[in-house]
Amino acid sequence: MRRCSMGLGALLGLGSVLPLLGALSLGARASGLPYVPFLLFEWLTRALPGRLVTAGIDAMVALISALGVGPTSAVAKAAEMGLAVAALVAGAAVLGAVLAGVSGRRPGWLPGLGAAAGAALWILCVAAMQRVGYPPAGRAYSALWLFLLLGLWGTLLGLVVRRAGRDEQVEGSRRRFLEGFALGVVALFAATVGLGRRWGRRAPSEAVGGSGAGPGLEATSGPAASPPEDVLARRVAPATPTRPELTDPDRFYRVDINLAPPTVREAGWKLAVDGLVSTPQGFTLEELRALPATRQAITLECISNLLGGDLMSTGVVTGVPLRDLLARVGRRPAGRHVYVESADGYFETVAPADVEDPRTLLVWALDGAPLTAEHGFPLRLYVPDRYGMKQPKWITRLEVTEQARPGYWGVRGWSNEARVKTTSVIDGLGASMRIGEADVMPVGGVAYSGAKGISRVEVQVDGGAWQPAQLRRPPLSPLSWVQWRFDWPYQAGSHTFRVRAYDGSGRLQPVEVRGPRPDGASGLFELTRHV
């Protein structure tokens, strides 16, 4: 009787999933077909209770921050991707072990059982696509591709487990079979992944046209326009370790509900605007870019950002004011709210005051270049004084409504207001220097209060008196963070620095220590260093 041990079956399952992952990667890169690990992971995170998902996010962000392996958003996405792939790999190992368990009694059933397992996984994938959304390849091609690929994978795994059964008379043949299986797995995995990467690089990039944005801060406009360049040039210099005033686009934080960003093609895309309007319309990206645009420097912060965390970035965005676009379709007086839908299934509501705010933009460019897929191409929303959860990316539809509806994270227990809290951060200490008769060490960081502005920042050393810091006034814009510096009279030893900020109306930032959930973290940031 031929029988495969469960341990060997698990190893065969592990081996078989490598070519499967390679084929899935090739299909995703070359033809926009679904990548099963990411598809199932995203489905699971949408289906699980919001509190459970939030607890997982909080734990991951806290761990990344504690280990100091940031940037947080990039590391978190990589960790989520790893978990998604690991889940499929573990499932394949379990399937291999189960098939091995029945190999001694019913070896003839193994190919059919493997095919049935592949079919069950296919059903899960179809259900997931119905919830998460279909990839660019479309419903029919995606379903057919997965049916053939998963069915073939399950059948072949059953055949491999049956062939690997022990038979003392042909042990040498069995060993050669396993060696050949291992070599074949490695070769297929390498070939499919290599083809996927090469094909992905060679795939022609879709023309996205001009952004309508001029270079430099001098091209900003509207009520949040930046001060003239010569005025900005006369400000006090920042302390050396202070983060850049404008974030490099490649380091701009990214937090969303997807492992890989949705692929939205400009060809065929239109922004639907309907609801309580006189003339429902669809706007192409070219039509939106042709409208009078506003360009403004803004800071975005994630509501999950920990005190002093790096889920906060500043850039220059270009877009059309939301209220101007709604005027073109004849928004009715009763239409006070705007419900926003995105290509990834995300949704949010814009409050009446934000709808009327000329600084609320439908954005198509960041730092003078078209949005990347990661940051919401072709269109995202910017709303002043709100955390990032209120600012959807990959927008497909605007519905003007009379009543507000809770957003994606609102129904999962987060604040529906999500208004930015005043916060201040110490980025670090510079090298000591002599100014006049004193040795000083510059301390620097940023303070941010959404659209409320910053009126002053104070620093405390070793529990002493609070002392005023210098603000780099004026800031880049009324909507951006403010850099500050404090020239501390240098003393060798270990010291603890704390910082606090006041918003534009003179109100002190919240000092009670609270975590991000449900409406953003608060507390006073402190830093201890031996100098």
Side-chain angles (χ1 to χ4, degrees):
M1 179 174 64
R2 301 168 67 90
R3 181 180 181 277
C4 177
S5 70
M6 295 184 69
L8 178 57
L11 289 175
L12 293 173
L14 288 173
S16 71
V17 82
L18 292 179
L20 174 63
L21 289 171
L24 289 168
S25 177
L26 175 60
R29 287 175 174 269
S31 302
L33 291 161
Y35 189 65
V36 169
F38 293 178
L39 171 66
L40 295 179
F41 187 88
E42 291 173 7
W43 178 46
L44 185 63
T45 57
R46 287 159 171 76
L48 288 173
R51 291 186 180 276
L52 183 60
V53 175
T54 295
I57 294 173
D58 289 347
M60 182 178 296
V61 170
L63 179 61
I64 294 170
S65 298
L67 295 176
V69 293
T72 303
S73 59
V75 175
K77 286 295 180 189
E80 291 173 349
M81 291 177 181
L83 287 174
V85 173
L88 183 63
V89 171
V94 170
L95 175 59
V98 170
L99 292 175
V102 300
S103 63
R105 298 186 299 274
R106 295 287 190 272
W109 289 14
L110 296 184
L113 290 174
L121 183 57
W122 175 76
I123 292 173
L124 281 179
C125 290
V126 171
M129 287 189 290
Q130 290 176 341
R131 174 70 183 272
V132 174
Y134 289 91
R139 178 181 306 182
Y141 286 120
S142 296
L144 179 61
W145 161 254
L146 290 183
F147 181 79
L148 295 174
L149 186 62
L150 296 177
L152 177 62
W153 166 71
T155 302
L156 290 177
L157 178 57
L159 290 170
V160 168
V161 171
R162 185 175 68 179
R163 178 67 179 81
R166 287 197 293 268
D167 188 329
E168 297 301 330
Q169 295 181 353
V170 291
E171 184 61 28
S173 174
R174 177 173 173 270
R175 184 180 299 110
R176 288 191 297 273
F177 167 74
L178 294 177
E179 290 172 351
F181 172 76
L183 290 173
V185 162
V186 172
L188 283 172
F189 178 70
T192 51
V193 170
L195 282 173
R197 289 180 176 175
R198 186 176 181 182
W199 206 327
R201 286 197 303 267
R202 287 190 171 185
S205 57
E206 188 170 4
V208 295
S211 68
L217 290 170
E218 70 276 6
T220 57
S221 59
S226 299
E229 292 280 4
D230 61 330
V231 173
L232 294 175
R234 292 195 295 268
R235 298 176 299 169
V236 62
T240 303
T242 306
R243 70 190 70 186
E245 202 164 25
L246 280 172
T247 307
D248 187 306
D250 292 335
R251 298 185 64 84
F252 210 96
Y253 90 87
R254 174 203 161 199
V255 174
D256 49 62
I257 62 174
N258 315 286
L259 291 183
T263 301
V264 181
R265 307 291 186 188
E266 181 175 347
W269 177 88
K270 280 191 175 184
L271 173 67
V273 185
D274 54 32
L276 296 177
V277 299
S278 300
T279 312
Q281 292 185 43
F283 294 87
T284 66
L285 189 55
E286 183 178 359
E287 289 171 336
L288 291 174
R289 287 180 177 142
L291 299 176
T294 296
R295 191 169 189 256
Q296 57 195 21
I298 57 96
T299 294
L300 286 179
E301 183 180 11
C302 179
I303 198 170
S304 294
N305 199 27
L306 297 177
L307 188 63
D310 62 356
L311 298 180
M312 183 166 61
S313 303
T314 296
V316 180
V317 296
T318 306
V320 59
L322 174 62
R323 70 175 190 178
D324 292 357
L325 184 72
L326 296 179
R328 289 179 172 271
V329 296
R331 177 165 61 105
R332 297 175 183 171
R336 302 175 62 245
H337 301 82
V338 175
Y339 181 70
V340 185
E341 294 180 352
S342 299
D344 61 344
Y346 196 83
F347 52 91
E348 189 51 80
T349 295
V350 185
D354 295 326
V355 173
E356 300 294 343
D357 193 329
R359 302 169 300 177
T360 299
L361 303 182
L362 294 166
V363 172
W364 60 75
L366 173 64
D367 290 339
L371 293 172
T372 62
E374 289 78 9
H375 293 299
F377 180 83
L379 195 69
R380 68 173 298 169
L381 182 69
Y382 168 72
V383 182
D385 211 34
R386 307 281 183 168
Y387 286 114
M389 61 171 276
K390 299 291 288 186
Q391 312 190 36
K393 297 181 279 190
W394 309 290
I395 297 175
T396 57
R397 178 174 177 251
L398 304 176
E399 179 188 357
V400 179
T401 66
E402 184 174 3
Q403 300 295 329
R405 303 176 194 171
Y408 181 93
W409 288 113
V411 300
R412 288 163 172 79
W414 289 83
S415 166
N416 276 311
E417 288 292 317
R419 196 170 292 280
V420 169
K421 293 181 178 179
T422 305
T423 188
S424 52
V425 181
I426 301 173
D427 286 332
L429 285 67
S432 61
M433 62 182 68
R434 194 163 186 84
I435 300 180
E437 300 298 321
D439 289 330
V440 300
M441 177 172 285
V443 184
V446 297
Y448 176 58
S449 189
K452 298 179 287 295
I454 297 293
S455 60
R456 74 181 191 268
V457 171
E458 297 174 334
V459 177
Q460 181 191 62
V461 185
D462 298 330
W466 288 96
Q467 303 176 67
Q470 293 177 284
L471 299 182
R472 295 197 73 210
R473 288 176 169 167
L476 285 184
S477 90
L479 303 175
S480 70
W481 58 29
V482 179
Q483 292 177 313
W484 59 266
R485 70 174 290 159
F486 173 66
D487 292 326
W488 168 63
Y490 172 75
Q491 299 177 32
S494 181
H495 301 278
T496 298
F497 301 83
R498 303 175 80 201
V499 63
R500 67 186 185 187
Y502 296 77
D503 69 16
S505 64
R507 181 177 302 170
L508 177 64
Q509 71 177 82
V511 299
E512 180 184 1
V513 178
R514 301 186 62 177
R517 184 182 175 90
D519 57 0
S522 64
L524 298 184
F525 182 86
E526 69 175 45
L527 179 71
T528 300
R529 289 287 186 270
H530 185 85
V531 296

